[in-house]
Amino acid sequence: MAEAEKLYRRLLKRHARDPALRERLGVVLMQRGNYSEAVGSLRQAIAEGRREASTYNNLALALSGDGRYEDAVEAARTATRLHPEKAEYHINLGHRLKKTGRVDDAKAAYRQATTLNPGFASGYVALGNLCAAMGEGDTAVDLYRKALAVQPNHVRAFYHLALSNKGNGTVIDLATIEMFRNLADEGNLGRFDAMLVRNALGFIADQRREYAAAFDHFRTFNEAVRRARTENGRPYDRAAHRRLVDQIIKAFPIGTFETVAKPRTTGPQPLFIVGMPRSGTTLVEQILGSHEAVAPGGELLEFDQITEAVADYPAGVWRLRSQTLEQLAARYLDALRRVDATSERVSDKLPRNFLHLGFIARLFPGAAIVHCRRDPVDTCLSCYFQNFTAGGGFSNDLTDLGSYYRDYHRLMAHWRSVLPRAPVEVVYEELVADPEPTVRRLLEAVGLEWDAACLGFSESRRPVMTASQWQVRQPIYTKAVGRWRHYREHLEPLLEALGDLAGDT
C-alpha cells in the first residue's frame, strides 16, 4: 500500500485533475489508515466531477474511519440513491446507521440488501451481527447459518458463528470446521480472511478444551496481524507508549487539582468506565445501563478526538484558556446528548480513556470514574485472543501485552494519588463471585439509588457493540476466572514482562 500511494501521487503530478486517480489515492490512503487525508482526496475527486456511487461509498468508509459518523451516513445514503440496486451499498449504509445508534434503520438497510440479492451472504451476516448486538442470539445464529448455506466458504459467517459459541453453546459441525481449517492451512485465503479463520478456530478449540491447538491458532493469528501492521507502517512501539505514559504522569503531578477551577458546563453527567480491554468494562456498563437514570453510550471516541485537538498533549492541557476548556467540555456533553438527551447520566466505556483521566478531571472535576480491574494474566490472555478491530497493536505480542499492562498499572496508581475524585474500583473476580454486594457498592459510590434492574442486566435489549456482546447476554458466570492456567506453558514471555504483577503463578 505504501508503494501504491507513491505511484498514485506520482501519477497525479502528471495528471493533476484526473478525479479517478484522486479517488484511487483516497482509497489507498484509507487502507493505510490515513482517514483524514483520504476524506480530503475523495471530496476533491467529487468536486472535480467524480460523482459515482462508488466514490460516495468510499467517502462514507473514510468518514467513518475518521470518526465523522453523521457525515458518513449522508455519503452512504447518496451512494444508495445513485445506485439503489447494489446490495453492497445498502450494507454500507446499514453499518453507518448502526454506528450512529439507529439500529432500526440499520436493520431496514440490511434487509433491503438481502431482498435485492437473496444469495448475498454478507447481508445475512450483517443482519446477524445487529441481532447479536440487540441480544437476539438465536436469530443471529440462524442468519449466520443461512449465510453459510448460500455461500459455504463465507469466512465472516464462520467467524461470527464461532464467536457465538462463546455465548449460547452453538455447535458448528465438524465438516465445516475441517473445511475452514484446510482453507487456512493450504493458503487459499486472503490475508485478512486467514486471520479471521485462525481466530475463529482458536475459539472453537478453546471451547472444546483443546488448549494446545487453540493457542497455536491464536499465535498464528497474532503473528499475521503483527506482520500486516508492520508492512503498513504501523508497528506497535512499546518504548513510545512508555514515553507517553511518562509524559502524562509528568503533566499531572501530585497537587495538580488543588487550585483548578471547574469549567461552567451544563448537560447530562458523564460516567466514565475505564480499564484494560477485557477487564469487565462492558459487563459494568450493562449493569449501570440497566439503571433507570443511566444511558449506556458504549465506546465513545469523542474524548480521543478532543485530545487530538490539543497542541502538545498532554502538557498542552495547562496552556488552554478557560473559554477553550468550556468549549471542549461542551463539545463532549453534546456527544453525550446525541446518545441520550434525557437521562441523568451517560456512560462512556472506552477502556483506553484511562490515559486521559487527568484531562477528564480538568474538564469534569466531579465526574464519576469507574475503574475495572481483573487478574492481570487473565486480562492479557483475553486481549491476546481477541480480534480487536481498532487499537494500537499492543495485544498481538505477549511481551508487548505485559509491558502495556505495567504502564497501565503504574498510571492508574498515579491517578489514585492525583485526581480530585478517586476512581471507583470494581474487581471482576469479586463481581462475578457475589454480584449484589458489589453492584450495591458501585451504585452508591457513583451516586445512584439502588435499582434491582441492575442485577437483571442480561435481559436488557439495548445494543451492545463490543467484543463482549455474547457474554453480557448471559447471567454472570465465573468460568473465565483463572482461565490462563490452561495455557500456562505458553505464557512465559507474558509472565516475564508482567513480573511481580503476575501474582501467584
Side-chain angles (χ1 to χ4, degrees):
M1 287 300 161
E3 186 64 22
E5 180 183 340
K6 291 177 184 177
L7 288 169
Y8 278 122
R9 290 190 187 280
R10 190 182 306 164
L11 284 166
L12 280 164
K13 287 181 179 179
R14 302 178 190 171
H15 311 280
R17 298 191 64 81
D18 186 327
L21 282 177
R22 188 72 61 184
E23 179 181 2
R24 294 311 305 163
L25 175 61
V27 171
V28 169
L29 290 167
M30 176 169 57
Q31 291 174 325
R32 295 200 69 200
N34 190 348
Y35 296 107
S36 181
E37 192 175 354
V39 168
S41 187
L42 290 163
R43 285 202 185 283
Q44 187 174 347
I46 291 169
E48 293 172 353
R50 184 75 173 173
R51 298 185 179 92
E52 307 293 329
S54 61
T55 315
Y56 285 97
N57 190 64
N58 286 326
L59 178 59
L61 294 170
L63 286 163
S64 187
D66 200 36
R68 296 155 66 178
Y69 302 118
E70 293 295 338
D71 290 343
V73 168
E74 290 310 307
R77 285 195 192 281
T78 302
T80 60
R81 285 197 296 268
L82 290 172
H83 196 162
E85 298 83 18
K86 193 170 181 66
E88 288 86 347
Y89 294 164
H90 291 277
I91 290 292
N92 190 29
L93 173 59
H95 291 341
R96 305 316 129 205
L97 290 164
K98 178 181 173 182
K99 195 70 177 180
T100 58
R102 284 171 271 186
V103 293
D104 290 336
D105 290 342
K107 186 176 286 190
Y110 293 147
R111 290 197 184 283
Q112 177 66 8
T114 57
T115 299
L116 287 168
N117 185 355
F120 187 31
S122 294
Y124 299 116
V125 172
L127 186 56
N129 289 344
L130 184 59
C131 290
M134 298 297 295
E136 302 165 9
D138 291 341
T139 301
V141 167
D142 289 342
L143 287 162
Y144 298 146
R145 285 177 163 159
K146 189 169 186 177
L148 286 174
V150 299
Q151 186 178 336
N153 64 345
H154 195 278
V155 167
R156 289 176 185 267
F158 173 70
Y159 171 75
H160 289 291
L161 192 58
L163 294 194
S164 75
N165 203 28
K166 297 193 296 181
N168 64 3
T170 302
V171 176
I172 305 176
D173 65 272
L174 293 177
T176 299
I177 295 170
E178 190 64 24
M179 181 191 72
F180 278 98
R181 182 186 291 115
N182 289 337
L183 286 173
D185 289 345
E186 295 167 6
N188 292 328
L189 297 170
R191 169 182 279 179
F192 187 71
D193 281 350
M195 292 177 190
L196 290 182
V197 169
R198 286 296 178 194
N199 191 256
L201 291 171
F203 280 116
I204 291 169
D206 179 79
Q207 284 286 312
R208 296 168 66 177
R209 301 183 181 183
E210 299 168 357
Y211 300 119
F215 195 85
D216 187 56
H217 287 305
F218 287 126
R219 179 167 45 212
T220 303
F221 159 75
N222 280 291
E223 288 172 352
V225 175
R226 287 178 65 205
R227 283 195 300 271
R229 290 185 62 87
T230 299
E231 291 171 14
N232 285 328
R234 297 183 293 119
Y236 178 69
D237 187 339
R238 75 176 77 120
H241 182 75
R242 186 174 300 116
R243 287 193 297 272
L244 172 63
V245 172
D246 290 340
Q247 292 165 4
I248 293 170
I249 291 173
K250 183 178 179 181
F252 297 93
I254 293 175
T256 289
F257 295 99
E258 291 179 0
T259 59
V260 173
K262 298 180 181 181
R264 293 187 301 275
T265 57
T266 58
Q269 292 299 303
L271 200 169
F272 294 94
I273 303 170
V274 303
M276 281 285 292
R278 313 300 294 164
S279 63
T281 54
T282 300
L283 173 60
V284 168
E285 183 177 56
Q286 277 293 96
I287 290 169
L288 289 171
S290 299
H291 195 285
E292 62 179 1
V294 180
E299 296 185 348
L300 302 178
L301 300 178
E302 191 68 24
F303 218 91
D304 270 354
Q305 295 165 11
I306 287 174
T307 62
E308 291 170 2
V310 178
D312 190 29
Y313 184 84
V317 165
W318 299 105
R319 293 190 286 275
L320 298 175
R321 298 179 178 180
S322 296
Q323 182 180 6
T324 302
L325 290 171
E326 291 176 4
Q327 289 171 346
L328 292 174
R331 171 181 167 178
Y332 183 78
L333 293 179
D334 283 343
L336 298 192
R337 290 189 192 94
R338 290 195 293 272
V339 174
D340 192 306
T342 60
S343 294
E344 295 175 22
R345 309 280 191 95
V346 176
S347 60
D348 180 346
K349 64 133 291 198
L350 188 66
R352 66 175 176 269
N353 274 338
F354 75 81
L355 292 166
H356 307 311
L357 293 185
F359 192 22
I360 286 171
R362 185 83 168 95
L363 296 181
F364 306 106
I369 298 168
V370 179
H371 173 215
C372 298
R373 292 164 42 206
R374 184 183 176 191
D375 175 86
V377 189
D378 272 339
T379 301
C380 291
L381 184 69
S382 189
C383 288
Y384 189 69
F385 288 178
Q386 191 59 50
N387 175 28
F388 292 112
T389 55
F394 67 89
S395 64
N396 304 123
D397 177 85
L398 292 175
T399 301
D400 287 343
L401 260 167
S403 174
Y404 186 92
Y405 191 97
R406 289 193 72 87
D407 285 327
Y408 143 79
H409 183 268
R410 69 188 177 98
L411 183 55
M412 286 308 306
H414 178 72
W415 291 138
R416 292 186 195 98
S417 65
V418 169
L419 295 177
R421 181 175 179 180
V424 179
E425 304 283 336
V426 175
V427 179
Y428 174 82
E429 289 79 8
E430 295 177 0
L431 175 60
V432 299
D434 195 2
E436 184 170 340
T438 301
V439 173
R440 285 186 179 275
R441 287 194 300 270
L442 171 62
L443 295 179
E444 182 180 2
V446 300
L448 293 170
E449 298 291 330
W450 169 250
D451 186 342
C454 292
L455 294 178
F457 68 91
S458 61
E459 302 302 316
S460 171
R461 286 300 172 259
R462 283 172 164 165
V464 179
M465 306 297 186
T466 72
S468 302
Q469 62 185 199
W470 288 98
Q471 294 98 315
V472 298
R473 298 303 185 185
Q474 305 172 76
I476 281 178
Y477 57 82
T478 60
K479 64 184 179 183
V481 176
R483 180 189 188 191
W484 69 269
R485 297 183 187 279
H486 299 305
Y487 296 94
R488 173 67 177 82
E489 63 182 293
H490 307 286
L491 300 182
E492 202 56 47
L494 172 62
L495 299 176
E496 183 177 346
L498 285 171
D500 59 328
L501 297 183
D504 181 15
T505 58

Short mmCIF file of all heavy atoms in Angstrom, two decimals, residues 143 266 425 456:
data_model
loop_
_atom_site.label_atom_id
_atom_site.label_comp_id
_atom_site.label_asym_id
_atom_site.label_seq_id
_atom_site.Cartn_x
_atom_site.Cartn_y
_atom_site.Cartn_z
N LEU A 143 -29.13 -16.64 11.10
CA LEU A 143 -28.70 -15.84 9.95
C LEU A 143 -27.28 -16.21 9.52
O LEU A 143 -26.98 -16.26 8.32
CB LEU A 143 -28.79 -14.35 10.30
CG LEU A 143 -30.22 -13.80 10.35
CD1 LEU A 143 -30.27 -12.48 11.11
CD2 LEU A 143 -30.77 -13.60 8.92
N THR A 266 -23.15 22.57 31.40
CA THR A 266 -24.46 22.02 31.73
C THR A 266 -24.71 20.82 30.83
O THR A 266 -24.12 20.69 29.76
CB THR A 266 -25.58 23.05 31.51
OG1 THR A 266 -25.55 23.46 30.14
CG2 THR A 266 -25.39 24.27 32.41
N GLU A 425 -13.38 1.53 42.27
CA GLU A 425 -12.75 0.29 41.83
C GLU A 425 -13.77 -0.86 41.81
O GLU A 425 -14.47 -1.09 42.80
CB GLU A 425 -11.60 -0.08 42.78
CG GLU A 425 -10.55 1.01 42.94
CD GLU A 425 -9.61 1.10 41.75
OE1 GLU A 425 -9.47 0.09 41.03
OE2 GLU A 425 -9.02 2.18 41.55
N GLY A 456 -30.45 -7.68 36.71
CA GLY A 456 -31.04 -8.39 35.57
C GLY A 456 -30.52 -7.85 34.25
O GLY A 456 -31.22 -7.89 33.24
#
